[in-house]
Amino acid sequence: YIRQLLAHMGETPCLLHNCGKIDHLVDAFASLELAGVSIGSCVEAPAIHSRLPEDFLLFGNLDPTRVFLQGEQADVQRETEKLLNAMKGKGNFILSSGCDLPPGVSLSQIATFMETGRRFPWNQ
Protein backbone atom coordinates (compact mmCIF):
# COMPACT_ATOMS: atom_id res chain seq x y z
CA TYR A 1 0.00 0.00 0.00
CA ILE A 2 2.81 2.44 0.87
CA ARG A 3 4.57 1.61 -2.40
CA GLN A 4 1.39 2.55 -4.27
CA LEU A 5 1.19 5.88 -2.44
CA LEU A 6 4.86 6.60 -3.09
CA ALA A 7 4.40 5.88 -6.80
CA HIS A 8 1.88 8.73 -6.94
CA MET A 9 4.33 11.12 -5.24
CA GLY A 10 6.89 10.92 -8.02
CA GLU A 11 10.20 12.53 -7.05
CA THR A 12 8.84 14.20 -3.91
CA PRO A 13 10.82 13.02 -0.86
CA CYS A 14 8.46 11.35 1.60
CA LEU A 15 8.68 10.56 5.28
CA LEU A 16 6.63 8.04 7.20
CA HIS A 17 5.56 8.48 10.81
CA ASN A 18 4.58 5.54 12.98
CA CYS A 19 3.86 5.87 16.70
CA GLY A 20 3.75 2.14 17.32
CA LYS A 21 6.23 -0.65 17.85
CA ILE A 22 7.88 -0.90 14.45
CA ASP A 23 10.73 -3.28 15.19
CA HIS A 24 9.20 -5.89 12.88
CA LEU A 25 8.66 -3.29 10.10
CA VAL A 26 12.07 -1.59 9.98
CA ASP A 27 13.48 -3.69 7.16
CA ALA A 28 10.34 -3.14 5.08
CA PHE A 29 10.44 0.62 5.70
CA ALA A 30 14.12 0.75 4.76
CA SER A 31 13.39 -1.03 1.47
CA LEU A 32 10.85 1.59 0.41
CA GLU A 33 11.71 4.73 -1.54
CA LEU A 34 11.30 6.86 1.59
CA ALA A 35 13.56 9.69 2.71
CA GLY A 36 13.10 8.55 6.29
CA VAL A 37 10.89 7.58 9.17
CA SER A 38 9.70 9.34 12.30
CA ILE A 39 9.35 6.98 15.24
CA GLY A 40 7.30 7.03 18.40
CA SER A 41 8.67 6.92 21.90
CA CYS A 42 7.92 3.21 22.38
CA VAL A 43 10.85 2.33 20.08
CA GLU A 44 14.55 2.39 20.94
CA ALA A 45 16.08 4.81 18.43
CA PRO A 46 19.63 3.30 18.51
CA ALA A 47 18.27 -0.18 17.76
CA ILE A 48 16.20 1.10 14.84
CA HIS A 49 19.06 3.25 13.53
CA SER A 50 21.45 0.34 13.28
CA ARG A 51 19.08 -1.35 10.82
CA LEU A 52 18.68 1.60 8.46
CA PRO A 53 20.78 2.66 5.46
CA GLU A 54 23.13 5.60 6.10
CA ASP A 55 21.12 7.93 3.85
CA PHE A 56 17.78 7.07 5.47
CA LEU A 57 16.66 9.79 7.93
CA LEU A 58 15.51 8.84 11.41
CA PHE A 59 13.40 11.33 13.37
CA GLY A 60 12.61 10.86 17.01
CA ASN A 61 11.63 10.24 19.58
CA LEU A 62 11.16 11.93 22.96
CA ASP A 63 7.96 10.87 24.74
CA PRO A 64 5.42 13.66 24.17
CA THR A 65 3.29 12.84 27.22
CA ARG A 66 5.72 11.53 29.85
CA VAL A 67 8.49 14.01 29.07
CA PHE A 68 6.88 17.12 27.56
CA LEU A 69 3.49 17.18 29.27
CA GLN A 70 4.06 15.46 32.61
CA GLY A 71 7.76 16.17 33.12
CA GLU A 72 9.51 19.17 34.58
CA GLN A 73 12.00 21.26 32.59
CA ALA A 74 14.84 19.30 34.16
CA ASP A 75 13.23 16.09 32.87
CA VAL A 76 12.98 17.53 29.36
CA GLN A 77 16.65 18.52 29.45
CA ARG A 78 17.81 15.19 30.92
CA GLU A 79 15.79 13.04 28.52
CA THR A 80 16.80 15.13 25.51
CA GLU A 81 20.48 14.83 26.47
CA LYS A 82 20.06 11.10 27.05
CA LEU A 83 18.58 10.62 23.56
CA LEU A 84 21.20 12.84 21.94
CA ASN A 85 24.03 10.96 23.64
CA ALA A 86 22.56 7.63 22.53
CA MET A 87 22.43 8.91 18.95
CA LYS A 88 25.73 10.81 18.95
CA GLY A 89 27.70 10.43 15.74
CA LYS A 90 24.71 9.24 13.74
CA GLY A 91 24.51 11.86 11.01
CA ASN A 92 21.13 10.83 9.67
CA PHE A 93 19.38 11.30 13.06
CA ILE A 94 17.10 14.30 13.54
CA LEU A 95 15.97 15.18 17.05
CA SER A 96 12.21 15.31 17.41
CA SER A 97 9.36 14.45 19.71
CA GLY A 98 8.03 10.92 19.39
CA CYS A 99 4.70 12.17 18.06
CA ASP A 100 2.45 15.22 18.20
CA LEU A 101 2.72 17.19 21.40
CA PRO A 102 -0.47 17.00 23.45
CA PRO A 103 -2.50 20.12 24.28
CA GLY A 104 -1.25 21.71 27.46
CA VAL A 105 2.47 21.32 26.84
CA SER A 106 4.03 24.58 27.97
CA LEU A 107 6.16 26.66 25.68
CA SER A 108 8.91 26.51 28.30
CA GLN A 109 9.09 22.72 27.85
CA ILE A 110 9.46 23.14 24.10
CA ALA A 111 12.05 25.90 24.58
CA THR A 112 14.09 23.65 26.90
CA PHE A 113 13.97 20.87 24.32
CA MET A 114 15.11 23.20 21.53
CA GLU A 115 17.85 24.85 23.62
CA THR A 116 19.20 21.48 24.74
CA GLY A 117 19.37 20.30 21.13
CA ARG A 118 21.10 23.48 20.01
CA ARG A 119 23.70 23.25 22.80
CA PHE A 120 24.56 19.63 22.09
CA PRO A 121 28.11 19.17 20.72
CA TRP A 122 27.03 17.58 17.41
CA ASN A 123 30.50 17.64 15.90
CA GLN A 124 32.35 15.93 18.73
Side-chain angles (χ1 to χ4, degrees):
Y1 178 72
I2 294 172
R3 284 189 204 283
Q4 292 172 357
L5 290 173
L6 291 171
H8 290 289
M9 299 301 293
E11 298 296 314
T12 304
C14 295
L15 299 171
L16 180 68
H17 174 76
N18 190 300
C19 290
K21 295 288 272 178
I22 64 164
D23 300 58
H24 63 292
L25 300 172
V26 172
D27 297 328
F29 288 167
S31 73
L32 297 171
E33 295 296 320
L34 292 167
V37 64
S38 168
I39 59 174
S41 58
C42 62
V43 178
E44 293 294 326
I48 296 298
H49 181 273
S50 67
R51 297 172 55 196
L52 296 173
E54 286 185 22
D55 62 345
F56 195 93
L57 298 173
L58 178 63
F59 293 75
N61 67 333
L62 226 54
D63 190 310
T65 301
R66 184 183 58 80
V67 175
F68 284 95
L69 183 64
Q70 298 169 342
E72 302 294 329
Q73 281 183 293
D75 300 319
V76 173
Q77 182 176 348
R78 181 184 64 252
E79 293 298 317
T80 303
E81 289 172 347
K82 180 179 171 184
L83 176 58
L84 288 170
N85 280 313
M87 299 305 292
K88 192 170 189 169
K90 295 167 176 50
N92 57 338
F93 173 72
I94 298 172
L95 179 64
S96 179
S97 63
C99 199
D100 295 343
L101 295 178
V105 170
S106 72
L107 291 177
S108 63
Q109 297 290 72
I110 298 168
T112 298
F113 172 71
M114 297 299 293
E115 290 165 8
T116 303
R118 287 184 184 116
R119 280 194 318 266
F120 190 76
W122 290 95
N123 296 327
Q124 295 179 6

